Amino acid sequence: MAEELTIATSQDKQERYATLIPQIEALVEGETDVIANLSNIVAALKQTMNFFWVGVYVVKENQLVLGPFQGPIACTRINFGKGVCGTSWKEKKTILVADVEAFPGHIACNSASQSEIVLPAFKNEEVALVLDVDSDKLNDFDNHDQNALEKVMRIIERLI
Ligand code: SME
């Protein structure tokens, strides 16, 4: 695995993602432990993109259970269809929320969160986990984040 992360100095998000994604591939190469790999992936995302909160919720016993994350403490369990994460699980798709206050049923784990993107990873066509990224700014995520983070989800799917 790579021991050091090279972070693009550019303020351009696309460039930062472009530098990061091949490094994520290298980071997980040769490691088979799922928790170790997810931990490093969310740490690399936090370090590179400086997200307010980034982490995974894993489907376990019909709930989403908090997994590796970086940021303030968070809710540990989310039910199917609840909040942005539970909705992404139910609808089996990425959900982009420009203003969390305007999302019915949004779960406020931290009152500083203002916008959010949640992406599912699939195993045998079922959602196995979701990646949740929160920002303390309104409208902070766009299609570039979605496209880049969906690439990360495809890497995660090979690991779970
Ligand atoms: N806001 C999420 C809950 C998870 S925390 O933000 C870390 C939701 O509505 O599903």
Side-chain angles (χ1 to χ4, degrees):
M1 67 160 258
E3 307 249 328
E4 230 176 87
L5 201 62
T6 304
I7 299 171
T9 48
S10 165
Q11 290 306 306
D12 183 82
K13 273 201 292 198
Q14 276 174 280
E15 276 183 43
R16 295 170 87 86
Y17 281 122
T19 309
L20 173 65
I21 288 168
Q23 293 188 87
I24 287 185
E25 299 269 13
L27 203 55
V28 298
E29 201 184 295
E31 177 53 67
T32 54
D33 188 88
V34 176
I35 291 179
N37 282 331
L38 291 174
S39 302
N40 260 345
I41 290 171
V42 299
L45 284 166
K46 169 80 176 176
Q47 246 184 294
T48 306
M49 306 307 294
N50 201 24
F51 292 136
F52 173 71
W53 194 96
V54 53
V56 296
Y57 281 91
V58 182
V59 175
K60 282 184 193 172
E61 295 149 15
N62 220 27
Q63 280 188 313
L64 288 173
V65 182
L66 183 64
F69 72 97
Q70 297 265 320
I73 58 165
C75 332
T76 53
R77 287 174 187 266
I78 297 173
N79 287 329
F80 185 71
K82 299 293 175 195
V84 186
C85 292
T87 303
S88 171
W89 178 17
K90 184 176 176 185
E91 295 186 3
K92 296 184 167 182
K93 64 174 198 196
T94 295
I95 314 249
L96 257 161
V97 182
D99 177 0
V100 296
E101 296 294 329
F103 187 92
H106 167 256
I107 301 164
C109 288
N110 188 295
S111 58
S113 286
Q114 299 212 56
S115 57
E116 180 164 356
I117 182 169
V118 179
L119 309 97
F122 297 90
K123 191 173 178 177
N124 303 325
E125 285 160 41
E126 295 298 327
V127 175
L129 61 80
V130 297
L131 178 77
D132 181 12
V133 188
D134 291 4
S135 172
D136 56 1
K137 296 178 200 73
L138 281 172
N139 203 11
D140 207 18
F141 303 108
D142 57 22
N143 286 345
H144 297 310
D145 296 283
Q146 179 168 350
N147 291 339
L149 292 171
E150 282 178 349
K151 288 185 187 146
V152 175
M153 300 319 282
R154 304 294 81 82
I155 299 172
I156 290 176
E157 283 169 353
R158 303 202 313 258
L159 305 169
I160 57 180

